[in-house]
Amino acid sequence: MIPSLPRPAWLRVATALYVAAFLGFLFLPLIVVSVFAFNDAPYPAPPWHGFTLDWFFANDPAGRLGMFHDDELMHSIWTSCKVGVWVTLLAVLVGLVNALLLERHEFRGKKLLSILMLVPLVIPGVILGISILAFASQIAQFLNDHFHWYVRFLRPGLPLVVLGQFSYIATIATLTLRARLSRFDRTLEDAALNLGASRAATFRTILLPYLRPALVGTAMMSFLLSFADFNTTLMLVGGNPPLTVLMYGRMHEGATPVLNAVSVFLMAASALLAIALLRRGPRRASA
Amino acid sequence: MPDASVAAPGDSGWRKALLMAPALAWLGLLIVLPHAELAVLSFREQVGPRHYVPSLSHYHEFFHEPEYWHTFVRTAWMSIVATFATLCLAFPIAWVIAKIARGRAAVWLFLACMIPFWISETVRTLGWMILLRETGVLPALLVKLGILAHPVEFLYHDTTILVGLIYNSMLFMIVPLISSLESLDNALIEAAYDLGANGFTVLRKIVIPHAAPGITAGSIIVFMLTLGDYITPTLLGGKDSGWFTEQIYTEFITRFDWGQGAAFGFLLLVLSTLIVVAGLKLTGQRFGDVMGRT
């Protein structure tokens, strides 16, 4: 029960134990992944054979190849980054326009449109993937039959991966940006306009700075979601797999500790991103 | 239609059209038309090279091939079990964060719950594989402790899939639960207690009715994520995990039978929509409200 009511000792102990067990459940897989990135053995399995950094830095073409020398792996990380940047740019831009549209304009079918914008979140990622794949192929086929055009980006590959991920990340961007915009005090803009500022200047000097924290937050979230996406990507990927798809393939074949090393690398990157977000936190609160 | 916005009346027409264009392009070209295409694919049959007729053959195939609908029912059932288990396991933690822990402790606990979800599902699943496989950490530990005589394979069981699914869903249940529990006035609980209610009665008559919107929102999201999951069932369940998304992948990518794959996709979509609608009806909530909550 709540602290203001008497809680029997057994309940307090049980609560504490449950929280501890729960945290163990949450962190055990991550700890295990990290530990075996440093084990001096060819398989990520016990027993412990001693500490090594080989799975990061080794460069022995005949033997161990650390993640930083595994070209296929490094290339897939680069691919994920490229896809992530495109998805982020598209999602933030479209999310911002949608937020402005829904918060500031009335039009017929507005309710329908705002509900339709939520729909991508409830469609399983696999289905988003196959539907976009089928539609793109249909268009490609049509262009080929009628105009003899061969449109490469409509075939499975990174452009389709970007569009597939964007199709649902745009919803999340719209939701967060709209939430921030709805708390904006319109009189600030009216004041700027009354004082002779142009619409563009008002947008740049009043609205954009106000939205900045939400824009940065949305961008980070979009990038992270894109980087982690698997379901949609799997259906649309061509011969150039992003990291999640490559890792999945290798895990099917039987993992080596290189994957643990990549995981540690990803965790470190996520931690840095999280710290950056948290440091931004207080300023956001005072804004 | 009167224009209620404060924008200058003269330019609001084309401004609106311009603002609407990205949304229409996004939803039209990436959501509505692709799903229409999927529907067309699923409701036709190839009768010759590049010659198709409308037909229900793909759906017929689904209902007459036991393997297909077994997989379908199994996926749905396991998703329901996973959702319910996630709810039960997440509720106490949400309660601790919302009601018992104070200040910094609550913030830290919440952050701890979030951390695993900053990391991709592939990495988390790798962790479970290293823990549970026959040569993995848990079997080795159990042998060392004398509980098992030989290492046992913990992967490739239904329970393992469930553990993985529950693990992946945790945060999506905890967040809506916390937000609905935080708005519950402690005075109500105190009043019930003063009037002689025990813990169970308080939970049943006060806490659960109040938290219902959060429970619905969390359950819907978790159910959909679980139903559409791919990595966890295939890696923790092995080759014969029997997950419906895997079936869709096989038809679409491996067998290149797009009609059949499209029909499967539609069935999955219908199932998830039905469950969402049923969940909303059951608790009398609206789609927009629930999604807005998350």
Side-chain angles (χ1 to χ4, degrees):
Chain A
M1 287 284 111
I2 53 178
S4 57
L5 296 177
R7 283 194 300 158
W10 68 265
L11 192 60
R12 284 166 185 271
V13 174
T15 309
L17 281 179
Y18 186 77
V19 171
F22 187 80
L23 290 178
F25 173 67
L26 280 188
F27 285 96
L28 207 56
L30 304 181
I31 293 168
V32 166
V33 166
S34 314
V35 166
F36 286 100
F38 303 100
N39 189 18
D40 194 2
Y43 297 104
W48 181 252
H49 284 283
F51 181 86
T52 181
L53 286 177
D54 278 1
W55 304 115
F56 292 87
F57 301 112
N59 188 13
D60 174 7
R64 288 180 185 178
L65 209 55
M67 67 166 278
F68 291 111
H69 297 284
D70 187 328
D71 290 339
E72 196 188 29
L73 205 64
M74 293 318 281
H75 186 74
S76 75
I77 293 179
W78 175 233
T79 304
S80 284
C81 289
K82 276 192 296 192
V83 169
V85 167
W86 278 108
V87 170
T88 304
L89 281 175
L90 278 172
V92 170
L93 204 69
V94 172
L96 178 62
V97 173
N98 288 344
L100 286 168
L101 176 72
L102 293 177
E103 280 300 313
R104 308 204 148 179
H105 295 275
E106 293 302 326
F107 51 89
R108 209 181 319 222
K110 177 172 170 175
K111 190 128 190 104
L112 182 73
L113 192 69
S114 56
I115 289 194
L116 203 56
M117 283 186 187
L118 293 174
V119 164
L121 275 191
V122 298
I123 301 174
V126 170
I127 294 173
L128 282 177
I130 57 170
S131 65
I132 290 171
L133 174 67
F135 183 55
S137 306
Q138 183 67 31
I139 297 177
Q141 191 70 51
F142 178 82
L143 293 178
N144 199 17
D145 288 352
H146 293 265
F147 304 100
H148 301 289
W149 290 348
Y150 180 74
V151 187
R152 228 187 96 72
F153 85 92
L154 291 172
R155 301 292 177 188
L158 296 185
L160 280 192
V161 170
V162 169
L163 289 177
Q165 294 181 354
F166 162 78
S167 72
Y168 74 93
I169 294 176
T171 297
I172 297 163
T174 304
L175 283 176
T176 45
L177 289 173
R178 189 182 174 187
R180 174 81 176 163
L181 188 63
S182 70
R183 293 193 299 271
F184 178 68
D185 183 0
R186 291 287 299 259
T187 54
L188 290 174
E189 263 184 333
D190 293 342
L193 289 171
N194 278 341
L195 292 169
S198 67
R199 280 191 160 277
T202 311
F203 182 76
R204 212 178 53 235
T205 56
I206 310 275
L207 193 60
L208 224 46
Y210 170 80
L211 287 177
R212 218 184 82 99
L215 287 170
V216 175
T218 307
M220 283 186 173
M221 200 159 56
S222 304
F223 187 81
L224 215 64
L225 285 169
S226 159
F227 207 91
D229 182 84
F230 179 81
N231 293 351
T232 310
T233 308
L234 181 69
M235 301 297 164
L236 296 169
V237 77
N240 202 352
L243 183 64
T244 45
V245 174
L246 185 84
M247 274 185 81
Y248 175 83
R250 289 202 184 176
M251 279 158 77
H252 248 317
E253 291 161 13
T256 69
V258 173
L259 294 186
N260 296 57
V262 181
S263 304
V264 169
F265 178 78
L266 288 182
M267 287 184 221
S270 304
L272 287 178
L273 203 62
I275 290 168
L277 265 182
L278 285 179
R279 286 175 67 97
R280 231 169 40 84
R283 259 190 292 154
R284 183 189 195 162
S286 66
Chain B
M1 187 94 189
D3 187 353
S5 79
V6 204
D11 62 358
S12 71
W14 66 263
R15 180 186 295 275
K16 240 191 292 191
L18 209 63
L19 285 175
M20 227 180 279
L24 292 179
W26 158 40
L27 295 169
L29 293 176
L30 295 177
I31 305 295
V32 176
L33 288 176
H35 283 83
E37 168 69 18
L38 208 59
V40 170
L41 277 179
S42 78
F43 285 111
R44 69 182 194 184
E45 187 184 2
Q46 188 162 21
V47 290
R50 308 197 68 180
H51 184 63
Y52 299 92
V53 290
S55 138
L56 287 173
S57 68
H58 297 307
Y59 292 93
H60 189 265
E61 173 80 10
F62 170 79
F63 286 106
H64 284 262
E65 179 62 64
E67 191 203 330
Y68 291 156
W69 58 265
H70 275 168
T71 308
F72 187 73
V73 172
R74 179 186 142 84
T75 305
W77 173 241
M78 280 183 72
S79 299
I80 291 172
V81 173
T83 306
F84 186 70
T86 309
L87 174 63
C88 295
L89 291 171
F91 198 89
I93 295 297
W95 182 264
V96 168
I97 293 175
K99 291 290 174 198
I100 297 180
R102 292 274 167 83
R104 277 189 112 70
V107 173
W108 278 111
L109 196 55
F110 182 62
L111 272 181
C113 291
M114 278 187 65
I115 285 172
F117 301 91
W118 279 79
I119 296 150
S120 79
E121 192 184 344
T122 345
V123 173
R124 287 178 258 146
T125 309
L126 180 66
W128 283 111
M129 289 174 78
I130 295 172
L131 270 170
L132 298 177
R133 72 158 67 99
E134 197 178 347
T135 56
V137 175
L138 195 63
L141 195 70
L142 291 177
V143 169
K144 198 159 239 175
L145 291 174
I147 298 171
L148 291 176
H150 305 285
V152 170
E153 181 66 88
F154 285 119
L155 283 184
Y156 317 132
H157 300 291
D158 286 358
T159 323
T160 320
I161 301 180
L162 280 178
V163 169
L165 292 173
I166 293 167
Y167 184 80
N168 286 327
S169 310
M170 220 29 112
L171 184 73
F172 303 97
M173 188 65 91
I174 286 181
V175 170
L177 282 182
I178 290 178
S179 71
S180 69
L181 287 176
E182 265 175 348
S183 66
L184 172 61
D185 190 349
N186 284 350
L188 289 174
I189 300 172
E190 288 159 4
Y193 183 81
D194 289 343
L195 292 169
N198 62 19
F200 180 69
T201 313
V202 171
L203 185 70
R204 198 166 52 91
K205 297 249 168 155
I206 295 178
V207 177
I208 290 181
H210 184 88
I215 293 174
T216 317
S219 301
I220 286 177
I221 294 159
V222 166
F223 179 79
M224 285 181 320
L225 286 176
T226 311
L227 201 65
D229 203 346
Y230 191 96
I231 299 181
T232 301
T234 52
L235 287 179
L236 297 184
K239 280 202 166 44
D240 304 312
S241 60
W243 210 252
F244 203 63
T245 48
E246 199 185 3
Q247 198 86 261
I248 295 175
Y249 180 85
T250 308
E251 293 300 333
F252 240 84
I253 311 289
T254 317
R255 295 191 189 151
F256 217 67
D257 186 350
W258 284 20
Q260 194 62 55
F264 286 175
F266 246 84
L267 288 164
L268 190 69
L269 201 58
V270 167
L271 173 66
S272 86
T273 310
L274 278 180
I275 298 265
V276 170
V277 171
L280 292 177
K281 274 269 182 306
L282 218 61
T283 53
Q285 293 179 75
R286 294 218 323 272
F287 177 64
D289 301 341
V290 170
M291 296 318 289
R293 196 172 273 282
T294 50

